[in-house]
Amino acid sequence: MASSNFGSNPSLKQLVYDNLKERIINGELKPGMRLREEDLSSEMNISRAPIREALNMLERDGFTTIMPRKGAIVAEVRKEDIRYIWEMRALLEPYAAKQSVASIPEKKIEEVKAHLLLVQQHPEDMADYAASDLEVHEMLVDYLENRFLKSTLQNMKAHSLRLRWAAEYDNEDTQESIVQDATREHLEIVAALETRDPDSVYDTVKMHVENSKNRLISANYRNYKD
C-alpha cells in the first residue's frame, strides 16, 4: 500500500474514507482484500479510531464488508451489481440532467466539449478518457439543487466506476472501441446541453446509460463473482 501521512489534518475520518474509497474504486485495493486497522494506522501515521470510523462509513456505502472476528474486507464485485446500479442510473441520471440543464454555465459546457474532442483524437489514453467521463457526469450532477439526489448519484457513480475498472479498463482488446463509442455519446450529451432542451438532454443521457450497461455486460467478467 502507498505510504501516506494524515497526522496533521483535523478531518481524519473523512480523509481516510476518501483515500480508501479511491483505492478501492481504481482497483489498488482488490475485492476480498483484508483491511487491517493496525496496518492502515501505521501506513497513515494516525490512531486506529478514525480508521475504524472510515471503515464503517465505507461499509455503509457498500465498499467494504465487516466480518465478525475478521474485521473489514474490500467488498466483492458481483455480476448482479451491474443490473442494480445501472437500473438506478437509468432512472435517476436522465432526470437529474433534465433538472440541471438550465443551470450549467455555458463556459463549463465549452470546457467539457473541448476536452472530449481531445479524447476523441487519442482513444488509447485511458486515463484521460476516465477523467473526461467523470467530467461529463459530474457536470450533470454538480448543478443540481436537490442535495439528496446529488448525494445518491455521487455514490452510484463511485460504484459504477469500480465496476468498470474491474471490466472495461482491464481489457486491452476493447479499450479503444469503448473510448470511441462512449466519447461520441458524451459529445451528443454536450450537443443536447448546448440546445438547452431538457427533453433532448434526458433522451441522450438515458441512451448513453443504456449503452454503457451493454458495453459493460460485453466486457471482461473475470473479476466479478456470481
Side-chain angles (χ1 to χ4, degrees), residues 167-199:
E168 290 180 4
Y169 304 157
D170 195 34
N171 189 341
E172 294 181 0
D173 295 335
T174 62
Q175 281 181 357
E176 287 197 20
S177 64
I178 288 170
V179 171
Q180 290 167 341
D181 290 343
T183 302
R184 185 183 66 253
E185 291 164 15
H186 287 153
L187 284 166
E188 289 171 357
I189 292 171
V190 167
L193 288 171
E194 289 175 328
T195 70
R196 301 295 182 176
D197 178 359
D199 291 332

PDB file of all heavy atoms in Angstrom, residues 167-199:
ATOM      1  N   ALA A 167     -13.721  -4.309 -15.266  1.00  0.00           N
ATOM      2  CA  ALA A 167     -14.011  -4.964 -16.542  1.00  0.00           C
ATOM      3  C   ALA A 167     -13.444  -4.199 -17.715  1.00  0.00           C
ATOM      4  O   ALA A 167     -12.475  -4.627 -18.338  1.00  0.00           O
ATOM      5  CB  ALA A 167     -15.528  -5.117 -16.692  1.00  0.00           C
ATOM      6  N   GLU A 168     -13.993  -3.032 -18.017  1.00  0.00           N
ATOM      7  CA  GLU A 168     -13.604  -2.282 -19.213  1.00  0.00           C
ATOM      8  C   GLU A 168     -12.118  -1.951 -19.241  1.00  0.00           C
ATOM      9  O   GLU A 168     -11.430  -2.182 -20.217  1.00  0.00           O
ATOM     10  CB  GLU A 168     -14.397  -0.981 -19.302  1.00  0.00           C
ATOM     11  CG  GLU A 168     -15.871  -1.167 -19.625  1.00  0.00           C
ATOM     12  CD  GLU A 168     -16.590   0.161 -19.696  1.00  0.00           C
ATOM     13  OE1 GLU A 168     -15.919   1.207 -19.564  1.00  0.00           O
ATOM     14  OE2 GLU A 168     -17.809   0.157 -19.881  1.00  0.00           O
ATOM     15  N   TYR A 169     -11.619  -1.371 -18.122  1.00  0.00           N
ATOM     16  CA  TYR A 169     -10.256  -0.861 -18.131  1.00  0.00           C
ATOM     17  C   TYR A 169      -9.225  -1.971 -17.961  1.00  0.00           C
ATOM     18  O   TYR A 169      -8.034  -1.724 -18.019  1.00  0.00           O
ATOM     19  CB  TYR A 169     -10.075   0.175 -17.018  1.00  0.00           C
ATOM     20  CG  TYR A 169     -11.050   1.334 -17.088  1.00  0.00           C
ATOM     21  CD1 TYR A 169     -11.349   2.067 -15.958  1.00  0.00           C
ATOM     22  CD2 TYR A 169     -11.667   1.690 -18.285  1.00  0.00           C
ATOM     23  CE1 TYR A 169     -12.250   3.130 -16.027  1.00  0.00           C
ATOM     24  CE2 TYR A 169     -12.557   2.741 -18.354  1.00  0.00           C
ATOM     25  CZ  TYR A 169     -12.843   3.456 -17.220  1.00  0.00           C
ATOM     26  OH  TYR A 169     -13.727   4.503 -17.280  1.00  0.00           O
ATOM     27  N   ASP A 170      -9.707  -3.199 -17.745  1.00  0.00           N
ATOM     28  CA  ASP A 170      -8.798  -4.327 -17.591  1.00  0.00           C
ATOM     29  C   ASP A 170      -8.795  -5.199 -18.841  1.00  0.00           C
ATOM     30  O   ASP A 170      -8.280  -6.304 -18.833  1.00  0.00           O
ATOM     31  CB  ASP A 170      -9.231  -5.161 -16.373  1.00  0.00           C
ATOM     32  CG  ASP A 170      -8.147  -6.115 -15.924  1.00  0.00           C
ATOM     33  OD1 ASP A 170      -6.966  -5.753 -16.043  1.00  0.00           O
ATOM     34  OD2 ASP A 170      -8.482  -7.220 -15.458  1.00  0.00           O
ATOM     35  N   ASN A 171      -9.384  -4.692 -19.914  1.00  0.00           N
ATOM     36  CA  ASN A 171      -9.498  -5.472 -21.137  1.00  0.00           C
ATOM     37  C   ASN A 171      -8.921  -4.663 -22.295  1.00  0.00           C
ATOM     38  O   ASN A 171      -9.606  -3.843 -22.898  1.00  0.00           O
ATOM     39  CB  ASN A 171     -10.964  -5.816 -21.395  1.00  0.00           C
ATOM     40  CG  ASN A 171     -11.119  -6.821 -22.528  1.00  0.00           C
ATOM     41  OD1 ASN A 171     -10.219  -7.001 -23.335  1.00  0.00           O
ATOM     42  ND2 ASN A 171     -12.270  -7.466 -22.580  1.00  0.00           N
ATOM     43  N   GLU A 172      -7.660  -4.886 -22.601  1.00  0.00           N
ATOM     44  CA  GLU A 172      -6.978  -4.084 -23.616  1.00  0.00           C
ATOM     45  C   GLU A 172      -7.575  -4.273 -25.007  1.00  0.00           C
ATOM     46  O   GLU A 172      -7.486  -3.384 -25.853  1.00  0.00           O
ATOM     47  CB  GLU A 172      -5.481  -4.435 -23.624  1.00  0.00           C
ATOM     48  CG  GLU A 172      -4.762  -4.038 -22.346  1.00  0.00           C
ATOM     49  CD  GLU A 172      -3.283  -4.365 -22.402  1.00  0.00           C
ATOM     50  OE1 GLU A 172      -2.834  -4.905 -23.440  1.00  0.00           O
ATOM     51  OE2 GLU A 172      -2.578  -4.088 -21.414  1.00  0.00           O
ATOM     52  N   ASP A 173      -8.223  -5.419 -25.243  1.00  0.00           N
ATOM     53  CA  ASP A 173      -8.768  -5.701 -26.576  1.00  0.00           C
ATOM     54  C   ASP A 173      -9.925  -4.769 -26.951  1.00  0.00           C
ATOM     55  O   ASP A 173     -10.173  -4.527 -28.133  1.00  0.00           O
ATOM     56  CB  ASP A 173      -9.244  -7.153 -26.654  1.00  0.00           C
ATOM     57  CG  ASP A 173      -8.098  -8.148 -26.515  1.00  0.00           C
ATOM     58  OD1 ASP A 173      -6.952  -7.762 -26.829  1.00  0.00           O
ATOM     59  OD2 ASP A 173      -8.349  -9.279 -26.084  1.00  0.00           O
ATOM     60  N   THR A 174     -10.643  -4.279 -25.955  1.00  0.00           N
ATOM     61  CA  THR A 174     -11.837  -3.476 -26.236  1.00  0.00           C
ATOM     62  C   THR A 174     -11.720  -2.024 -25.799  1.00  0.00           C
ATOM     63  O   THR A 174     -12.644  -1.246 -26.011  1.00  0.00           O
ATOM     64  CB  THR A 174     -13.069  -4.095 -25.539  1.00  0.00           C
ATOM     65  OG1 THR A 174     -12.853  -4.094 -24.119  1.00  0.00           O
ATOM     66  CG2 THR A 174     -13.306  -5.518 -26.010  1.00  0.00           C
ATOM     67  N   GLN A 175     -10.605  -1.643 -25.206  1.00  0.00           N
ATOM     68  CA  GLN A 175     -10.495  -0.316 -24.610  1.00  0.00           C
ATOM     69  C   GLN A 175     -10.767   0.810 -25.606  1.00  0.00           C
ATOM     70  O   GLN A 175     -11.569   1.708 -25.337  1.00  0.00           O
ATOM     71  CB  GLN A 175      -9.107  -0.130 -23.985  1.00  0.00           C
ATOM     72  CG  GLN A 175      -8.959  -0.797 -22.630  1.00  0.00           C
ATOM     73  CD  GLN A 175      -7.586  -0.568 -22.020  1.00  0.00           C
ATOM     74  OE1 GLN A 175      -6.714   0.046 -22.638  1.00  0.00           O
ATOM     75  NE2 GLN A 175      -7.373  -1.050 -20.825  1.00  0.00           N
ATOM     76  N   GLU A 176     -10.086   0.792 -26.731  1.00  0.00           N
ATOM     77  CA  GLU A 176     -10.195   1.923 -27.655  1.00  0.00           C
ATOM     78  C   GLU A 176     -11.596   2.043 -28.249  1.00  0.00           C
ATOM     79  O   GLU A 176     -12.112   3.149 -28.416  1.00  0.00           O
ATOM     80  CB  GLU A 176      -9.142   1.822 -28.765  1.00  0.00           C
ATOM     81  CG  GLU A 176      -7.741   2.134 -28.269  1.00  0.00           C
ATOM     82  CD  GLU A 176      -6.765   2.445 -29.409  1.00  0.00           C
ATOM     83  OE1 GLU A 176      -7.233   2.797 -30.516  1.00  0.00           O
ATOM     84  OE2 GLU A 176      -5.548   2.351 -29.174  1.00  0.00           O
ATOM     85  N   SER A 177     -12.224   0.915 -28.555  1.00  0.00           N
ATOM     86  CA  SER A 177     -13.582   0.995 -29.103  1.00  0.00           C
ATOM     87  C   SER A 177     -14.556   1.520 -28.058  1.00  0.00           C
ATOM     88  O   SER A 177     -15.487   2.277 -28.381  1.00  0.00           O
ATOM     89  CB  SER A 177     -14.039  -0.377 -29.614  1.00  0.00           C
ATOM     90  OG  SER A 177     -14.128  -1.309 -28.558  1.00  0.00           O
ATOM     91  N   ILE A 178     -14.356   1.156 -26.784  1.00  0.00           N
ATOM     92  CA  ILE A 178     -15.188   1.679 -25.699  1.00  0.00           C
ATOM     93  C   ILE A 178     -15.015   3.179 -25.589  1.00  0.00           C
ATOM     94  O   ILE A 178     -15.990   3.934 -25.468  1.00  0.00           O
ATOM     95  CB  ILE A 178     -14.840   0.981 -24.364  1.00  0.00           C
ATOM     96  CG1 ILE A 178     -15.356  -0.455 -24.370  1.00  0.00           C
ATOM     97  CG2 ILE A 178     -15.421   1.756 -23.176  1.00  0.00           C
ATOM     98  CD1 ILE A 178     -14.866  -1.291 -23.210  1.00  0.00           C
ATOM     99  N   VAL A 179     -13.766   3.632 -25.642  1.00  0.00           N
ATOM    100  CA  VAL A 179     -13.484   5.069 -25.538  1.00  0.00           C
ATOM    101  C   VAL A 179     -14.157   5.819 -26.686  1.00  0.00           C
ATOM    102  O   VAL A 179     -14.788   6.864 -26.478  1.00  0.00           O
ATOM    103  CB  VAL A 179     -11.962   5.326 -25.544  1.00  0.00           C
ATOM    104  CG1 VAL A 179     -11.674   6.826 -25.661  1.00  0.00           C
ATOM    105  CG2 VAL A 179     -11.328   4.773 -24.269  1.00  0.00           C
ATOM    106  N   GLN A 180     -14.038   5.299 -27.891  1.00  0.00           N
ATOM    107  CA  GLN A 180     -14.616   5.981 -29.050  1.00  0.00           C
ATOM    108  C   GLN A 180     -16.136   6.055 -28.961  1.00  0.00           C
ATOM    109  O   GLN A 180     -16.733   7.115 -29.202  1.00  0.00           O
ATOM    110  CB  GLN A 180     -14.181   5.254 -30.332  1.00  0.00           C
ATOM    111  CG  GLN A 180     -12.697   5.424 -30.639  1.00  0.00           C
ATOM    112  CD  GLN A 180     -12.207   4.469 -31.722  1.00  0.00           C
ATOM    113  OE1 GLN A 180     -12.848   3.456 -32.008  1.00  0.00           O
ATOM    114  NE2 GLN A 180     -11.072   4.795 -32.318  1.00  0.00           N
ATOM    115  N   ASP A 181     -16.765   4.950 -28.589  1.00  0.00           N
ATOM    116  CA  ASP A 181     -18.229   4.926 -28.510  1.00  0.00           C
ATOM    117  C   ASP A 181     -18.737   5.827 -27.386  1.00  0.00           C
ATOM    118  O   ASP A 181     -19.673   6.616 -27.587  1.00  0.00           O
ATOM    119  CB  ASP A 181     -18.726   3.495 -28.281  1.00  0.00           C
ATOM    120  CG  ASP A 181     -18.526   2.601 -29.495  1.00  0.00           C
ATOM    121  OD1 ASP A 181     -18.305   3.144 -30.600  1.00  0.00           O
ATOM    122  OD2 ASP A 181     -18.572   1.366 -29.336  1.00  0.00           O
ATOM    123  N   ALA A 182     -18.128   5.708 -26.222  1.00  0.00           N
ATOM    124  CA  ALA A 182     -18.590   6.499 -25.072  1.00  0.00           C
ATOM    125  C   ALA A 182     -18.344   7.986 -25.295  1.00  0.00           C
ATOM    126  O   ALA A 182     -19.185   8.828 -24.937  1.00  0.00           O
ATOM    127  CB  ALA A 182     -17.889   6.029 -23.802  1.00  0.00           C
ATOM    128  N   THR A 183     -17.206   8.327 -25.890  1.00  0.00           N
ATOM    129  CA  THR A 183     -16.900   9.742 -26.126  1.00  0.00           C
ATOM    130  C   THR A 183     -17.852  10.341 -27.156  1.00  0.00           C
ATOM    131  O   THR A 183     -18.283  11.499 -27.013  1.00  0.00           O
ATOM    132  CB  THR A 183     -15.436   9.908 -26.573  1.00  0.00           C
ATOM    133  OG1 THR A 183     -14.574   9.362 -25.567  1.00  0.00           O
ATOM    134  CG2 THR A 183     -15.094  11.382 -26.763  1.00  0.00           C
ATOM    135  N   ARG A 184     -18.197   9.580 -28.162  1.00  0.00           N
ATOM    136  CA  ARG A 184     -19.195  10.061 -29.128  1.00  0.00           C
ATOM    137  C   ARG A 184     -20.529  10.355 -28.421  1.00  0.00           C
ATOM    138  O   ARG A 184     -21.170  11.381 -28.670  1.00  0.00           O
ATOM    139  CB  ARG A 184     -19.408   9.026 -30.223  1.00  0.00           C
ATOM    140  CG  ARG A 184     -20.358   9.513 -31.331  1.00  0.00           C
ATOM    141  CD  ARG A 184     -20.632   8.459 -32.376  1.00  0.00           C
ATOM    142  NE  ARG A 184     -21.379   7.328 -31.830  1.00  0.00           N
ATOM    143  CZ  ARG A 184     -20.859   6.128 -31.592  1.00  0.00           C
ATOM    144  NH1 ARG A 184     -19.579   5.895 -31.848  1.00  0.00           N
ATOM    145  NH2 ARG A 184     -21.594   5.156 -31.090  1.00  0.00           N
ATOM    146  N   GLU A 185     -20.921   9.463 -27.523  1.00  0.00           N
ATOM    147  CA  GLU A 185     -22.165   9.671 -26.784  1.00  0.00           C
ATOM    148  C   GLU A 185     -22.055  10.863 -25.833  1.00  0.00           C
ATOM    149  O   GLU A 185     -23.021  11.628 -25.653  1.00  0.00           O
ATOM    150  CB  GLU A 185     -22.525   8.403 -26.014  1.00  0.00           C
ATOM    151  CG  GLU A 185     -22.926   7.253 -26.926  1.00  0.00           C
ATOM    152  CD  GLU A 185     -22.922   5.912 -26.230  1.00  0.00           C
ATOM    153  OE1 GLU A 185     -22.888   5.883 -24.981  1.00  0.00           O
ATOM    154  OE2 GLU A 185     -22.939   4.880 -26.928  1.00  0.00           O
ATOM    155  N   HIS A 186     -20.891  11.035 -25.233  1.00  0.00           N
ATOM    156  CA  HIS A 186     -20.688  12.208 -24.374  1.00  0.00           C
ATOM    157  C   HIS A 186     -20.831  13.503 -25.175  1.00  0.00           C
ATOM    158  O   HIS A 186     -21.404  14.487 -24.697  1.00  0.00           O
ATOM    159  CB  HIS A 186     -19.313  12.145 -23.713  1.00  0.00           C
ATOM    160  CG  HIS A 186     -19.208  11.122 -22.631  1.00  0.00           C
ATOM    161  ND1 HIS A 186     -18.017  10.523 -22.284  1.00  0.00           N
ATOM    162  CD2 HIS A 186     -20.144  10.600 -21.801  1.00  0.00           C
ATOM    163  CE1 HIS A 186     -18.227   9.682 -21.302  1.00  0.00           C
ATOM    164  NE2 HIS A 186     -19.505   9.707 -20.981  1.00  0.00           N
ATOM    165  N   LEU A 187     -20.298  13.496 -26.387  1.00  0.00           N
ATOM    166  CA  LEU A 187     -20.424  14.686 -27.235  1.00  0.00           C
ATOM    167  C   LEU A 187     -21.876  14.920 -27.649  1.00  0.00           C
ATOM    168  O   LEU A 187     -22.310  16.079 -27.796  1.00  0.00           O
ATOM    169  CB  LEU A 187     -19.537  14.543 -28.474  1.00  0.00           C
ATOM    170  CG  LEU A 187     -18.040  14.771 -28.223  1.00  0.00           C
ATOM    171  CD1 LEU A 187     -17.207  14.276 -29.405  1.00  0.00           C
ATOM    172  CD2 LEU A 187     -17.753  16.255 -27.962  1.00  0.00           C
ATOM    173  N   GLU A 188     -22.647  13.860 -27.806  1.00  0.00           N
ATOM    174  CA  GLU A 188     -24.076  14.016 -28.091  1.00  0.00           C
ATOM    175  C   GLU A 188     -24.804  14.644 -26.901  1.00  0.00           C
ATOM    176  O   GLU A 188     -25.709  15.474 -27.076  1.00  0.00           O
ATOM    177  CB  GLU A 188     -24.683  12.658 -28.438  1.00  0.00           C
ATOM    178  CG  GLU A 188     -24.233  12.120 -29.792  1.00  0.00           C
ATOM    179  CD  GLU A 188     -24.656  10.681 -30.029  1.00  0.00           C
ATOM    180  OE1 GLU A 188     -25.268  10.082 -29.101  1.00  0.00           O
ATOM    181  OE2 GLU A 188     -24.386  10.154 -31.117  1.00  0.00           O
ATOM    182  N   ILE A 189     -24.410  14.271 -25.696  1.00  0.00           N
ATOM    183  CA  ILE A 189     -24.983  14.888 -24.494  1.00  0.00           C
ATOM    184  C   ILE A 189     -24.649  16.369 -24.459  1.00  0.00           C
ATOM    185  O   ILE A 189     -25.510  17.222 -24.176  1.00  0.00           O
ATOM    186  CB  ILE A 189     -24.468  14.175 -23.221  1.00  0.00           C
ATOM    187  CG1 ILE A 189     -25.028  12.755 -23.136  1.00  0.00           C
ATOM    188  CG2 ILE A 189     -24.844  14.973 -21.968  1.00  0.00           C
ATOM    189  CD1 ILE A 189     -24.408  11.913 -22.036  1.00  0.00           C
ATOM    190  N   VAL A 190     -23.381  16.689 -24.753  1.00  0.00           N
ATOM    191  CA  VAL A 190     -22.960  18.095 -24.767  1.00  0.00           C
ATOM    192  C   VAL A 190     -23.745  18.886 -25.820  1.00  0.00           C
ATOM    193  O   VAL A 190     -24.187  20.019 -25.570  1.00  0.00           O
ATOM    194  CB  VAL A 190     -21.438  18.201 -25.016  1.00  0.00           C
ATOM    195  CG1 VAL A 190     -21.039  19.631 -25.338  1.00  0.00           C
ATOM    196  CG2 VAL A 190     -20.672  17.707 -23.794  1.00  0.00           C
ATOM    197  N   ALA A 191     -23.940  18.297 -26.986  1.00  0.00           N
ATOM    198  CA  ALA A 191     -24.706  18.975 -28.043  1.00  0.00           C
ATOM    199  C   ALA A 191     -26.136  19.243 -27.583  1.00  0.00           C
ATOM    200  O   ALA A 191     -26.719  20.314 -27.866  1.00  0.00           O
ATOM    201  CB  ALA A 191     -24.705  18.133 -29.308  1.00  0.00           C
ATOM    202  N   ALA A 192     -26.716  18.291 -26.861  1.00  0.00           N
ATOM    203  CA  ALA A 192     -28.062  18.494 -26.325  1.00  0.00           C
ATOM    204  C   ALA A 192     -28.069  19.602 -25.271  1.00  0.00           C
ATOM    205  O   ALA A 192     -28.999  20.419 -25.219  1.00  0.00           O
ATOM    206  CB  ALA A 192     -28.589  17.191 -25.732  1.00  0.00           C
ATOM    207  N   LEU A 193     -27.033  19.635 -24.451  1.00  0.00           N
ATOM    208  CA  LEU A 193     -26.932  20.700 -23.443  1.00  0.00           C
ATOM    209  C   LEU A 193     -26.841  22.071 -24.105  1.00  0.00           C
ATOM    210  O   LEU A 193     -27.401  23.056 -23.604  1.00  0.00           O
ATOM    211  CB  LEU A 193     -25.707  20.472 -22.552  1.00  0.00           C
ATOM    212  CG  LEU A 193     -25.784  19.325 -21.544  1.00  0.00           C
ATOM    213  CD1 LEU A 193     -24.417  19.105 -20.895  1.00  0.00           C
ATOM    214  CD2 LEU A 193     -26.831  19.602 -20.473  1.00  0.00           C
ATOM    215  N   GLU A 194     -26.141  22.136 -25.228  1.00  0.00           N
ATOM    216  CA  GLU A 194     -25.994  23.414 -25.927  1.00  0.00           C
ATOM    217  C   GLU A 194     -27.334  23.946 -26.423  1.00  0.00           C
ATOM    218  O   GLU A 194     -27.525  25.159 -26.534  1.00  0.00           O
ATOM    219  CB  GLU A 194     -25.012  23.255 -27.089  1.00  0.00           C
ATOM    220  CG  GLU A 194     -23.562  23.077 -26.635  1.00  0.00           C
ATOM    221  CD  GLU A 194     -22.617  22.804 -27.794  1.00  0.00           C
ATOM    222  OE1 GLU A 194     -23.048  22.162 -28.785  1.00  0.00           O
ATOM    223  OE2 GLU A 194     -21.446  23.214 -27.707  1.00  0.00           O
ATOM    224  N   THR A 195     -28.273  23.050 -26.706  1.00  0.00           N
ATOM    225  CA  THR A 195     -29.601  23.493 -27.150  1.00  0.00           C
ATOM    226  C   THR A 195     -30.469  23.947 -25.981  1.00  0.00           C
ATOM    227  O   THR A 195     -31.502  24.586 -26.190  1.00  0.00           O
ATOM    228  CB  THR A 195     -30.339  22.358 -27.883  1.00  0.00           C
ATOM    229  OG1 THR A 195     -30.709  21.337 -26.947  1.00  0.00           O
ATOM    230  CG2 THR A 195     -29.485  21.775 -28.990  1.00  0.00           C
ATOM    231  N   ARG A 196     -30.073  23.547 -24.758  1.00  0.00           N
ATOM    232  CA  ARG A 196     -30.847  23.845 -23.546  1.00  0.00           C
ATOM    233  C   ARG A 196     -32.246  23.230 -23.602  1.00  0.00           C
ATOM    234  O   ARG A 196     -33.187  23.726 -22.973  1.00  0.00           O
ATOM    235  CB  ARG A 196     -30.947  25.362 -23.312  1.00  0.00           C
ATOM    236  CG  ARG A 196     -29.605  26.060 -23.153  1.00  0.00           C
ATOM    237  CD  ARG A 196     -28.864  25.618 -21.907  1.00  0.00           C
ATOM    238  NE  ARG A 196     -27.606  26.352 -21.759  1.00  0.00           N
ATOM    239  CZ  ARG A 196     -26.786  26.232 -20.708  1.00  0.00           C
ATOM    240  NH1 ARG A 196     -27.086  25.411 -19.719  1.00  0.00           N
ATOM    241  NH2 ARG A 196     -25.665  26.920 -20.655  1.00  0.00           N
ATOM    242  N   ASP A 197     -32.377  22.147 -24.360  1.00  0.00           N
ATOM    243  CA  ASP A 197     -33.668  21.448 -24.473  1.00  0.00           C
ATOM    244  C   ASP A 197     -33.685  20.302 -23.456  1.00  0.00           C
ATOM    245  O   ASP A 197     -33.003  19.289 -23.654  1.00  0.00           O
ATOM    246  CB  ASP A 197     -33.832  20.912 -25.887  1.00  0.00           C
ATOM    247  CG  ASP A 197     -35.137  20.134 -26.066  1.00  0.00           C
ATOM    248  OD1 ASP A 197     -35.901  20.008 -25.086  1.00  0.00           O
ATOM    249  OD2 ASP A 197     -35.383  19.650 -27.180  1.00  0.00           O
ATOM    250  N   PRO A 198     -34.451  20.417 -22.367  1.00  0.00           N
ATOM    251  CA  PRO A 198     -34.439  19.392 -21.324  1.00  0.00           C
ATOM    252  C   PRO A 198     -34.800  18.000 -21.829  1.00  0.00           C
ATOM    253  O   PRO A 198     -34.212  17.004 -21.392  1.00  0.00           O
ATOM    254  CB  PRO A 198     -35.483  19.899 -20.319  1.00  0.00           C
ATOM    255  CG  PRO A 198     -35.546  21.364 -20.545  1.00  0.00           C
ATOM    256  CD  PRO A 198     -35.322  21.549 -22.016  1.00  0.00           C
ATOM    257  N   ASP A 199     -35.763  17.901 -22.752  1.00  0.00           N
ATOM    258  CA  ASP A 199     -36.167  16.582 -23.249  1.00  0.00           C
ATOM    259  C   ASP A 199     -35.060  15.933 -24.082  1.00  0.00           C
ATOM    260  O   ASP A 199     -34.843  14.717 -23.995  1.00  0.00           O
ATOM    261  CB  ASP A 199     -37.438  16.711 -24.091  1.00  0.00           C
ATOM    262  CG  ASP A 199     -38.657  17.074 -23.246  1.00  0.00           C
ATOM    263  OD1 ASP A 199     -38.668  16.724 -22.048  1.00  0.00           O
ATOM    264  OD2 ASP A 199     -39.571  17.706 -23.781  1.00  0.00           O
TER     265      ASP A 199
END
